[in-house]
Amino acid sequence: MLNIIIFGPPGSGKGTQSAKIVEKYNLVHLSTGDLMREEIARDTPLGWEVKKYIDKGMLVPDEIIMRELYEKASEHLDAPGLIFDGFPRTIVQAEMLDQMLEKHKMPIDVVLSVDVSEEELFQRLMGRAEDSGRSDDTAEIVLHRIEVYKEQTLPLIEFYQKQGKIVSINGMSPVEEVFGKITTAVDTYLETREIIPAIE
Ligand code: AP5
Ligand code: MG
């Protein structure tokens, strides 16, 4: 199995790169953001609940995220591997994920941390806002999402650095180039079980 986390601020390209990674390595894509948006689109009570947080650019409570993630992940335990996109986002989520994976003897192999400047994140998301239909792609909420990322999610870098799993990927280049850096990191890991700490 190959289990990857793709980690980075809003607009860093997690979804874009996940689609390419899934295709190349035959993994199952688990995006908690997509799961929440599907729930909202289905107009369920859970959808109404999570919409309150998403529309403000706040994190959805850990209990809800973990419940939905467990349910989805358990459908795919026999897959060649999983890629977690936009999850975990808090230390609590990361610890619970480790417990879940330990139980199934399927640890996280690599954490891809995609770095992009705040100016570029803002430009990309304002570009995407024109046709994304996402209620959280407005200037004010995008800025708030970036702040929430810095406060609540960035500490996870240290969490995974301690586990020796972080690869820092410079995400300030065109999509195909960023993907090339990612495949270098993943292929090196598959061949040697070594983590390249950073790829410029
Ligand atoms: P989520 O859906 O995870 O959104 P996000 O983290 O804010 O990130 P985005 O999806 O906006 O960006 P991305 O990194 O995927 O970039 P993309 O590839 O689209 O979360 C949304 C909300 O759900 C959260 O705010 C929270 O409320 C809730 N939530 C989700 N998970 C949660 C969790 N675990 N815990 C608690 N709450 C949770 O690219 C962006 C744009 O840039 C696109 O237009 C793309 O075409 C373009 N682009 C991509 N790469 C490049 C490139 N290299 N060069 C130029 N343009 C590029
Ligand atoms: Mg995304």
Side-chain angles (χ1 to χ4, degrees), residues 94-163:
E95 286 172 345
M96 292 179 88
L97 176 66
D98 273 356
Q99 281 171 20
M100 174 183 101
L101 296 177
E102 212 170 286
K103 207 161 70 187
H104 296 283
K105 302 259 174 297
M106 42 181 273
I108 292 295
D109 294 292
V110 182
V111 180
L112 301 166
S113 169
V114 186
D115 303 321
V116 172
S117 73
E118 283 185 36
E119 295 74 19
E120 172 76 11
L121 296 173
F122 186 75
Q123 292 306 328
R124 285 186 191 177
L125 291 179
M126 288 299 93
R128 192 181 67 182
E130 287 171 20
D131 56 11
S132 72
R134 272 180 59 166
S135 55
D136 57 351
D137 277 351
T138 65
E140 188 196 349
I141 301 300
V142 163
L143 290 174
H144 187 60
R145 282 159 60 199
I146 295 173
E147 286 312 307
V148 167
Y149 170 81
K150 288 197 283 190
E151 278 168 27
Q152 303 189 46
T153 305
L154 208 50
L156 286 181
I157 297 260
E158 205 188 320
F159 180 92
Y160 286 112
Q161 237 149 15
K162 282 191 191 140
Q163 298 189 0

Side-chain angles (χ1 to χ4, degrees), residues 10-11 13-16 29 31 33-34 37 85-86 128 134 145:
K14 300 184 296 294
T16 305
H29 184 204
S31 155
D34 288 350
R37 283 184 290 276
D85 159 5
R128 192 181 67 182
R134 272 180 59 166
R145 282 159 60 199

Side-chain angles (χ1 to χ4, degrees), residues 39-194:
E39 212 52 54
I40 294 172
R42 276 203 291 270
D43 207 13
T44 61
L46 177 62
W48 308 334
E49 172 72 11
V50 300
K51 186 169 167 42
K52 290 191 270 184
Y53 297 95
I54 291 187
D55 284 359
K56 294 194 192 97
M58 291 163 64
L59 294 185
V60 173
D62 290 332
E63 312 82 75
I64 297 181
I65 292 289
M66 291 314 301
R67 194 179 63 221
E68 296 305 299
L69 193 272
Y70 278 140
E71 196 183 307
K72 195 73 186 172
S74 57
E75 292 169 16
H76 298 289
L77 294 177
D78 55 350
L82 306 173
I83 177 158
F84 298 93
D85 159 5
F87 172 88
R89 258 172 151 101
T90 62
I91 297 282
V92 171
Q93 291 179 16
E95 286 172 345
M96 292 179 88
L97 176 66
D98 273 356
Q99 281 171 20
M100 174 183 101
L101 296 177
E102 212 170 286
K103 207 161 70 187
H104 296 283
K105 302 259 174 297
M106 42 181 273
I108 292 295
D109 294 292
V110 182
V111 180
L112 301 166
S113 169
V114 186
D115 303 321
V116 172
S117 73
E118 283 185 36
E119 295 74 19
E120 172 76 11
L121 296 173
F122 186 75
Q123 292 306 328
R124 285 186 191 177
L125 291 179
M126 288 299 93
R128 192 181 67 182
E130 287 171 20
D131 56 11
S132 72
R134 272 180 59 166
S135 55
D136 57 351
D137 277 351
T138 65
E140 188 196 349
I141 301 300
V142 163
L143 290 174
H144 187 60
R145 282 159 60 199
I146 295 173
E147 286 312 307
V148 167
Y149 170 81
K150 288 197 283 190
E151 278 168 27
Q152 303 189 46
T153 305
L154 208 50
L156 286 181
I157 297 260
E158 205 188 320
F159 180 92
Y160 286 112
Q161 237 149 15
K162 282 191 191 140
Q163 298 189 0
K165 291 178 179 168
I166 290 264
V167 184
S168 287
I169 305 273
N170 181 342
M172 295 283 285
S173 42
V175 171
E176 285 305 326
E177 270 180 41
V178 176
F179 185 58
K181 298 173 201 181
I182 288 176
T183 57
T184 299
V186 173
D187 291 344
T188 302
Y189 175 80
L190 288 173
E191 281 159 28
T192 65
R193 299 282 140 177
E194 303 253 327

